[in-house]
């Protein structure tokens, strides 16, 4: 992610109403190709990301990381721990606490093996990038400390994909605590993007006794921040974020405690948010259903001007954090 700039621009591109959002200059051309049938959409990869919450004396805060500016994908942007699903987690039947796989399959809109892999990805990425593990030796417990050298060796092995998360849980005799997660929303990267993700967003509360740390090689800093404060920073152009991130932050501001957000999760609509684009005589109109603040009209003259300029590519939707 590129560093957010207070002037409401990023990568030399207009930031619009919200300072941290812009579009790559190749979008109009790709949208036209999609419209005339010469561009075949890429199949999105499954991904999961977790909004980790904790209560404070002044309300609650969410854990966010800032991806390194050198990252090819979303460099400089603030996001949540998250990443792609490991297909190996479809196979091994892990020890499981909380709602059944069938319940999660219905909730996430997938089959049971895919549901297990998506939930595993959410828990694994939280461990890999924040050092927090939503699992325990029994169905009603969580591990107390994951900072020792043996834990770090396992975490590094997971990051290197030397073993699947299901294998990690089995070897350590741990039970995955799916009851500590709440499905929140689902975003899919637009069809005209060359790199696409189908991402499920979850909420979870920081387990007692555990603490976060910047365990990710992809992040240069992490923060605990109130959702309202993070959203305000984005609106001022100081914190760069993609639409799914700022959209979820705005949703979180409706609650005053982590438990309230978790209690609200089961009733939330997980219908995928997928950007649409239409052509008009003056350019291209982009919109995200249910999220009017991201609607953007790209005039033809702006397309022509920007097309010759380099850009750092940050897809505006459905990306893993």
């Amino acid at each position: 992610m590129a560093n957010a700039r207070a002037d409401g621009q990023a990568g030399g591109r207009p930031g619009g109403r919200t300072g941290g959002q812009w579009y790559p200059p190749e979008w109009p051309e790709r949208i036209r190709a999609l419209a005339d049938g010469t561009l075949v959409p890429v199949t999105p990869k499954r991904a999961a990301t977790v909004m980790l919450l904790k209560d404070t004396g002044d309300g609650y805060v969410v854990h966010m990381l800032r991806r390194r500016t050198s990252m090819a994908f979303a460099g400089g942007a603030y996001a949540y721990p998250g990443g792609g699903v490991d297909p190996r987690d479809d196979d091994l039947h892990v020890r499981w606490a909380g709602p059944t796989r069938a319940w999660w399959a219905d909730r996430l809109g997938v089959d049971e093996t895919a549901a297990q892999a998506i939930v595993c990805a959410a828990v694994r990425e939280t461990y890999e990038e924040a050092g927090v593990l939503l699992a325990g030796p029994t169905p009603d417990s969580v591990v107390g400390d994951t900072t020792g050298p043996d834990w770090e060796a396992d975490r590094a092995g997971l990051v290197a994909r030397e073993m699947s998360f299901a294998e990690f849980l089995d070897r350590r005799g741990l039970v995955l605590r799916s009851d500590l997660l709440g499905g929140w929303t689902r975003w899919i990267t637009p069809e005209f993007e060359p790199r696409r993700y189908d991402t499920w967003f979850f909420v979870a509360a920081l387990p007692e006794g555990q603490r976060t740390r910047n365990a990710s090689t992809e992040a240069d800093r992490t923060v605990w921040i109130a959702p309202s404060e993070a959203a305000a920073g984005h609106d001022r152009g100081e914190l760069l974020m993609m639409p799914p991130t700022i959209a979820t932050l705005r949703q979180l501001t409706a609650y005053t405690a982590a438990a309230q957000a978790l209690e609200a999760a089961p009733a939330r609509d997980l219908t995928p948010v997928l950007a649409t684009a239409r052509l008009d005589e003056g350019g291209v109109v982009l919109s995200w259903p249910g999220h009017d603040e991201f609607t953007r009209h790209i005039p033809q003259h702006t397309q022509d001007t920007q097309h010759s300029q380099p850009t750092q590519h940050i897809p505006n939707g459905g990306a893993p954090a």
Side-chain angles (χ1 to χ4, degrees):
M1 299 173 237
N3 288 322
R5 292 168 46 175
D7 61 1
Q9 299 186 17
R13 300 295 175 263
R17 175 177 173 273
T18 52
Q21 180 201 359
W22 75 95
Y23 54 87
E26 67 269 22
W27 270 16
E29 181 179 345
R30 294 184 62 84
I31 290 168
R32 293 180 187 280
L34 182 66
D36 64 24
T38 59
L39 174 67
V40 178
V42 174
T43 300
K45 297 180 179 179
R46 295 176 301 169
T49 189
V50 177
M51 299 178 287
L52 192 62
L53 313 175
K54 75 173 180 180
D55 291 310
T56 70
D58 298 318
Y60 77 100
V61 289
V62 60
H63 180 72
M64 304 189 76
L65 54 84
R66 186 178 69 182
R67 292 172 60 86
R68 295 184 184 278
T69 57
S70 59
M71 296 297 294
F73 178 78
Y78 281 80
Y80 314 112
V85 168
D86 186 344
R88 295 176 297 176
D89 290 333
D90 284 353
D91 303 327
L92 184 62
H93 197 74
V94 304
R95 295 178 180 87
W96 191 274
T100 65
R101 291 167 181 78
W103 184 94
W104 277 108
D106 181 68
R107 181 76 179 110
L108 302 178
V110 297
D111 61 35
E112 291 188 33
T113 55
Q116 173 176 291
I118 292 165
V119 172
C120 278
V123 177
R124 186 197 72 238
E125 290 289 337
T126 305
Y127 179 47
E128 287 184 6
E129 298 193 341
V132 171
L133 184 57
L134 304 177
T138 65
D140 58 356
S141 65
V142 291
V143 296
D145 186 7
T146 64
T147 58
D150 58 333
W151 284 105
E152 181 56 28
D154 277 351
R155 194 195 65 80
L158 287 169
V159 172
R161 297 299 181 261
E162 295 169 355
M163 60 180 163
S164 71
F165 191 65
E167 291 168 337
F168 161 76
L169 292 174
D170 184 63
R171 186 170 63 78
R172 282 196 170 262
L174 295 174
V175 180
L176 185 148
R177 293 290 305 276
S178 81
D179 56 317
L180 299 182
L181 287 170
W184 192 262
T185 191
R186 179 182 177 184
W187 286 63
I188 301 178
T189 310
E191 291 183 331
F192 47 82
E193 273 289 348
R195 185 173 182 173
R196 302 184 66 211
Y197 295 94
D198 184 353
T199 305
W200 285 263
F201 286 69
F202 297 85
V203 288
L206 179 68
E208 185 176 354
Q210 293 194 36
R211 60 183 184 274
T212 58
R213 57 195 175 93
N214 184 5
S216 174
T217 58
E218 298 179 354
D220 59 15
R221 68 171 299 192
T222 61
V223 295
W224 281 103
I225 186 170
S228 58
E229 182 182 346
H234 171 272
D235 292 345
R236 292 192 300 267
E238 298 169 357
L239 303 181
L240 178 62
M241 298 174 195
M242 291 181 289
T245 308
I246 182 58
T248 50
L249 284 171
R250 297 203 199 286
Q251 292 158 1
L252 289 173
T253 60
Y255 309 98
T256 59
Q260 289 181 0
L262 287 166
E263 289 170 2
R268 287 193 53 81
D269 184 6
L270 294 189
T271 301
V273 178
L274 175 64
T276 61
R278 62 180 175 85
L279 306 176
D280 66 17
E281 294 182 358
V284 174
V285 178
L286 301 175
S287 61
W288 280 256
H291 300 273
D292 292 343
E293 74 169 289
F294 304 129
T295 298
R296 184 68 56 85
H297 179 266
I298 307 175
Q300 182 63 47
H301 68 83
T302 303
Q303 299 171 30
D304 296 339
T305 299
Q306 291 190 352
H307 192 71
S308 63
Q309 299 177 350
T311 185
Q312 181 179 35
H313 189 158
I314 296 192
N316 280 288

